[in-house]
Amino acid sequence: MMYIIIIAAIVIFWLLVLDRPVLYVHFKGGQLVKVKGHLPVTLKHNLTEIGHHSPFNGYLKAYQRREGIRLKFSPSVPKSIQQRIRNVFPFNGLKKSGIEKKKKH
């Protein structure tokens, strides 16, 4: 019985505490250094353009919430750059994985 409680505690800890963004993009000098998750081609192009015009260092994380997608930036990303990224980010078009599931009608 005790092992079930321990396993349940570990599962709850894993679900609540671990950082699991849908999309992670790391920038260095305005260049995209590391990408984890599905990055749409148009967003990649827009992020490259933003970084080319005003180089910066930091990261962007996108989390899937019930209300929609929430963006989180590192503190080193300037507020003006954050707003430019929010303006071009496809909040409705971001897929959770590389394969889009079709809904049955």
Side-chain angles (χ1 to χ4, degrees):
M1 182 67 178
M2 188 64 166
Y3 66 90
I4 294 174
I5 295 172
I6 293 172
I7 292 173
I10 291 171
V11 168
I12 291 171
F13 176 78
W14 179 70
L15 290 173
L16 296 177
V17 176
L18 291 181
D19 190 26
R20 297 174 299 157
V22 175
L23 175 66
Y24 174 82
V25 182
H26 184 83
F27 299 94
K28 190 168 189 178
Q31 300 291 323
L32 279 73
V33 177
K34 185 177 186 181
V35 176
K36 287 186 179 179
H38 176 70
L39 182 65
V41 177
T42 55
L43 179 60
K44 182 177 181 180
H45 174 73
N46 289 332
L47 292 176
T48 306
E49 283 292 317
I50 291 170
H52 177 71
H53 289 293
S54 49
F56 62 95
N57 296 329
Y59 62 82
L60 158 69
K61 293 181 182 179
Y63 294 97
Q64 183 69 46
R65 302 285 185 227
R66 279 187 235 158
E67 310 83 39
I69 294 177
R70 180 178 165 257
L71 298 181
K72 181 175 180 179
F73 296 91
S74 64
S76 61
V77 178
K79 296 291 184 188
S80 61
I81 301 294
Q82 290 181 18
Q83 186 59 50
R84 289 181 65 194
I85 292 173
R86 287 182 198 282
N87 289 344
V88 299
F89 196 86
F91 287 98
N92 295 331
L94 190 67
K95 295 182 249 179
K96 191 167 187 173
S97 65
I99 301 170
E100 187 174 344
K101 296 179 182 176
K102 292 184 178 181
K103 295 180 181 178
K104 293 184 179 181
H105 294 289

